[in-house]
Amino acid sequence: MYIKKILWAIALIGLVIFAVIAYYIYGAMFKPNTAFNNETAYIYIPTNASYPQVREQLEPLLDNIDTFDALANQKKYTTNIKAGRFAISKDMSNNDIVNSIRSKNLPIKIAFNNQHNIADLAGRISTQIEADSVSLYAAMNDTTFLSKNGFTKATALGMYLPNSYEFFWNTSAEGFRDKMLKEYNRFWNEDRLNKAKRINLTPDEVMTLASIVHEESKQADEQPRVAGVYLNRLRIGMALQADPTLKFAAYQLPKYQNTVIRRVLNIHKEIDSPYNTYKNSGLPPGLIAMPDLSAVKAVLNAEKHNYLYFAADAKRIGYHKFAKTLAQHNNNAREYQRYLSSQGINR
């Protein structure tokens, strides 16, 4: 009898121990273990991250990091870490969290517009995905890639159409660039290619002209008329004489860096640059800035008219007065010059 009691006691103790272990395991796996009040928190796990790096982000979000460590080890997550952006919902268990950060890489929306050059674009994108600005700049300027796909360093900016796009946060610099090429090729469908052909421009030339149109006018309802003026000039072999190209040329010179040119002067028209469209006929070698899609569409759907000139309208700031003759244009231009002088804008 005595031995039976001992055995029963041992069995009972074993059951208690088993129950405690089972409860601990259950708690470690399935009990809610979040310590934040928002509905969702996000962590960003870099490429080739170590478990301590992941743990550092998780620790402020969890009630008990030790139970998470135990389960992460047991499920071999600590040696099989995936990069990306992951969501942790309020009241998730350790098991839910491991499953989420192991396999549910969430895409993000990135957006960009009006970047003046590749360096600016690289900087803008680097704030939204894992790739840094140096690697992005190098990938975008890679001469092999550019040559293979028909771009030059002067036209490369035209490959990046301003909009919002879906990417994984851990996208590499090359991955970003390559996806943007696909978006560019998708944009240039048969209909748009035919429109470009009808105005005797290549897609690169459309983007270059659109960059000038965009710098001349930010008004989407006016851009097709501005585009029509430039196409008329190209058609008859007249120099574009676009002031934004002079500013672009000037800003490449040490003298004008870290300055803002608010008034184009005759001295700017003497700058020796292929972007000086007063001295050189036809389009410049490439874009002077990133155009909005409205400007690209304005070139492809330019207004048909007989205007050859336009000058800023002093009475409707942001818009222009259009003219068919030089005499009319000179009157419009003098009116605007008087306005600038009255505002104290001399350079």
Side-chain angles (χ1 to χ4, degrees):
M1 284 291 292
Y2 182 71
I3 294 175
K4 273 188 175 182
K5 287 181 179 180
I6 292 174
L7 291 174
W8 274 107
I10 292 171
L12 186 60
I13 293 169
L15 285 171
V16 170
I17 293 171
F18 177 79
V20 170
I21 293 172
Y23 178 79
Y24 177 81
I25 292 172
Y26 175 85
M29 290 189 67
F30 302 113
K31 183 182 176 182
N33 189 30
T34 56
F36 52 87
N37 294 321
N38 294 337
E39 287 302 313
T40 308
Y42 296 93
I43 64 170
Y44 295 80
I45 302 177
T47 302
N48 299 320
S50 64
Y51 182 68
Q53 289 176 286
V54 178
R55 191 181 191 276
E56 184 179 4
Q57 290 194 59
L58 285 173
E59 190 166 7
L61 304 176
L62 304 186
D63 274 330
N64 190 327
I65 190 66
D66 294 329
T67 59
F68 181 83
D69 288 338
L71 187 64
N73 258 314
Q74 193 270 329
K75 297 190 77 168
K76 296 182 170 50
Y77 171 75
T78 55
T79 56
N80 190 27
I81 294 166
K82 298 292 192 299
R85 171 181 178 259
F86 301 93
I88 300 173
S89 299
K90 185 179 179 181
D91 295 332
M92 264 188 172
S93 68
N94 287 330
N95 192 59
D96 293 332
I97 295 169
V98 170
N99 289 341
S100 178
I101 65 177
R102 183 165 59 186
S103 60
K104 296 179 181 178
N105 188 6
L106 299 175
I108 60 171
K109 286 280 188 182
I110 72 165
F112 58 89
N113 63 351
N114 305 141
Q115 307 303 303
H116 281 90
N117 50 52
I118 290 292
D120 287 350
L121 177 60
R124 176 82 177 99
I125 299 305
S126 71
T127 66
Q128 300 177 76
I129 64 174
E130 181 184 12
D132 61 41
S133 59
V134 174
S135 60
L136 283 162
Y137 181 81
M140 294 176 192
N141 276 308
D142 180 74
T143 52
T144 301
F145 170 84
L146 294 176
S147 177
K148 177 182 175 182
N149 293 288
F151 295 100
T152 66
K153 287 191 175 183
T155 62
L157 187 64
M159 195 187 90
Y160 301 91
L161 301 168
N163 211 329
S164 61
Y165 301 93
E166 195 171 85
F167 279 88
F168 287 111
W169 174 78
N170 57 310
T171 299
S172 67
E174 291 76 15
F176 170 78
R177 176 200 66 193
D178 293 348
K179 182 172 179 178
M180 292 311 303
L181 175 63
K182 290 179 182 177
E183 295 291 343
Y184 174 85
N185 289 332
R186 186 177 294 118
F187 177 83
W188 283 104
N189 55 28
E190 186 176 359
D191 177 56
R192 291 192 176 103
L193 288 172
N194 285 335
K195 285 182 176 180
K197 190 174 182 179
R198 281 198 288 272
I199 57 176
N200 295 314
L201 297 180
T202 66
D204 278 347
E205 290 170 335
V206 169
M207 297 304 295
T208 295
L209 182 54
S211 74
I212 298 173
V213 170
H214 176 76
E215 290 299 296
E216 286 283 16
S217 177
K218 302 298 190 292
Q219 311 300 328
D221 59 336
E222 186 186 62
Q223 287 172 343
R225 180 166 290 188
V226 173
V229 170
Y230 284 129
L231 288 173
N232 286 344
R233 290 181 179 183
L234 287 172
R235 201 173 293 118
I236 65 174
M238 177 180 174
L240 292 184
Q241 297 183 345
D243 286 356
T245 66
L246 294 184
K247 291 183 179 181
F248 179 86
Y251 290 143
Q252 312 310 304
L253 304 175
K255 176 181 177 181
Y256 293 101
Q257 287 179 9
N258 301 316
T259 65
V260 176
I261 299 172
R262 300 179 65 192
R263 185 170 183 171
V264 172
L265 305 172
N266 286 331
I267 190 173
H268 299 129
K269 297 176 184 178
E270 298 305 315
I271 294 173
D272 185 17
S273 167
Y275 288 88
N276 183 340
T277 56
Y278 278 80
K279 279 192 168 187
N280 302 290
S281 61
L283 289 164
L287 288 75
I288 60 172
M290 179 183 287
D292 278 350
L293 289 181
S294 64
V296 180
K297 292 173 182 176
V299 173
L300 293 174
N301 301 280
E303 185 179 310
K304 290 181 171 57
H305 54 60
N306 295 319
Y307 295 124
L308 285 173
Y309 307 93
F310 60 92
D313 190 339
K315 295 177 181 177
R316 295 180 72 211
I317 301 302
Y319 284 87
H320 297 80
K321 287 186 173 182
F322 293 81
K324 296 176 182 178
T325 68
L326 183 59
Q328 290 174 324
H329 170 67
N330 286 338
N331 286 334
N332 294 336
R334 278 192 291 269
E335 181 182 338
Y336 189 67
Q337 295 298 328
R338 285 194 295 270
Y339 165 76
L340 291 178
S341 296
S342 73
Q343 299 298 306
I345 300 173
N346 299 311
R347 59 180 183 175

